[in-house]
Amino acid sequence: MNLKYVVSTISLLATGMMASGSPAQAFSFSSTISPPSLGPTHDIMLNSVTLSSGKTISDFVLVQSANIISNDTWTGGDTGAASSDRGDNASGIEEEAATNSSVVASLGNLNLNNIIDVEETGSFLINLSFGQAVSSLFFWERGMNSDLTIQALDQAGNLIGRLFRIDRNTWQNAGFAIDTTEISGAQQMGSRGISVGDLGLTGPIFGIQVSADASHNGPDFKVMGSVEAVPEPTTVAGLSLAGAGLAAARRRRSKQTA
């Protein structure tokens, strides 16, 4: 069989798989932190993430601005919804009645012990903008027991794409715990990656709207972005098939000319 024909056929097959495959799925990753030994109450700085494919990403796009659309009012104790929180012995900000600036202070850095803490029955709606357009999102959630709903924003701050709810049962163990001022002991950190495909889009986004109500059970989260796109499962499968087909065609051609 002609090598060019085989390559063309395999490429078309791979393209068909990418076009007709199931929607993109949230992806998993592992986190490399520094320093790893000071304990859950101290600064926990993110160095890089490693995808299941083995690819490492170390350049992150951080939250640059925030606009609180709604947030249950804090009147003391466990009232209200979203607040800024930090590890007991970590740098950062602690603010029960979150403001736009406190949200940025919590999310706009690489310290995974700076988070947005949400009361279990609270409701909030916040727009977050990144420093530049991103193609992938990395989320961490303290406790691994809450949901978080997100939707993409365009450059003008308009909602685009579809709502995506990160289900509490899909958090992956991030391999470390944090202990912040809002809790009395360390809790395991979970992680989950989201691609623009999960949000019903094909191109980069400039921000996200994050929200929760009582049904979400109070997500306590951190989010960062990356300009690097994480391939969808069907894309990876298609490329693998194309590579295998090309290798087979080359072996056949080599036998014929031997």
Side-chain angles (χ1 to χ4, degrees):
M1 184 180 290
N2 184 273
L3 179 60
K4 183 182 294 185
Y5 175 78
V6 172
V7 174
S8 298
T9 302
I10 295 296
S11 298
L12 287 172
L13 179 57
T15 302
M17 289 180 65
M18 285 184 272
S20 61
S22 59
Q25 298 294 315
F27 58 90
S28 60
F29 62 89
S30 60
S31 305
T32 301
I33 57 176
S34 175
S37 59
L38 288 181
T41 66
H42 292 264
D43 290 338
I44 299 175
M45 308 303 294
L46 178 68
N47 288 336
S48 63
V49 299
T50 302
L51 310 178
S52 56
S53 64
K55 180 179 181 179
T56 296
I57 296 175
S58 56
D59 292 325
F60 301 98
V61 182
L62 304 177
V63 170
Q64 189 175 66
S65 64
N67 181 22
I68 299 175
I69 307 301
S70 64
N71 190 28
D72 288 354
T73 303
W74 180 72
T75 57
D78 294 332
T79 62
S83 63
S84 288
D85 197 13
R86 61 175 177 81
D88 293 312
N89 298 304
S91 58
I93 189 171
E94 178 188 357
E95 180 61 60
E96 286 284 5
T99 63
N100 291 338
S101 60
S102 78
V103 170
V104 175
S106 294
L107 300 180
N109 58 58
L110 296 174
N111 193 341
L112 294 175
N113 219 346
N114 286 184
I115 63 171
I116 297 299
D117 176 277
V118 181
E119 298 299 333
E120 292 182 1
T121 60
S123 298
F124 74 93
L125 188 69
I126 303 175
N127 287 354
L128 304 174
S129 297
F130 295 103
Q132 65 186 95
V134 300
S135 295
S136 302
L137 299 168
F138 300 93
F139 286 88
W140 292 263
E141 202 275 329
R142 188 195 67 203
M144 302 173 61
N145 58 359
S146 304
D147 301 351
L148 179 66
T149 295
I150 63 175
Q151 188 170 359
L153 299 171
D154 64 16
Q155 194 167 13
N158 299 309
L159 289 169
I160 54 176
R162 61 170 177 254
L163 283 172
F164 186 94
R165 181 162 172 162
I166 305 176
D167 184 271
R168 69 196 70 183
N169 296 314
T170 63
W171 295 110
Q172 304 291 312
N173 192 322
F176 65 95
I178 65 173
D179 184 356
T180 65
T181 63
E182 288 283 333
I183 56 178
S184 58
Q187 292 183 350
Q188 192 65 37
M189 201 72 149
S191 62
R192 200 69 175 141
I194 304 295
S195 70
V196 292
D198 295 311
L199 303 177
L201 302 167
T202 57
I205 62 175
F206 289 85
I208 54 173
Q209 184 174 93
V210 290
S211 62
D213 57 28
S215 70
H216 290 67
N217 194 43
D220 307 314
F221 67 94
K222 182 87 172 187
V223 60
M224 302 178 196
S226 172
V227 298
E228 299 190 54
V230 177
E232 299 178 23
T234 49
T235 302
V236 174
L239 293 175
S240 298
L241 176 60
L246 181 59
R250 284 175 175 168
R251 287 196 299 269
R252 179 175 297 179
R253 186 179 185 186
S254 177
K255 290 180 180 179
Q256 289 175 346
T257 56

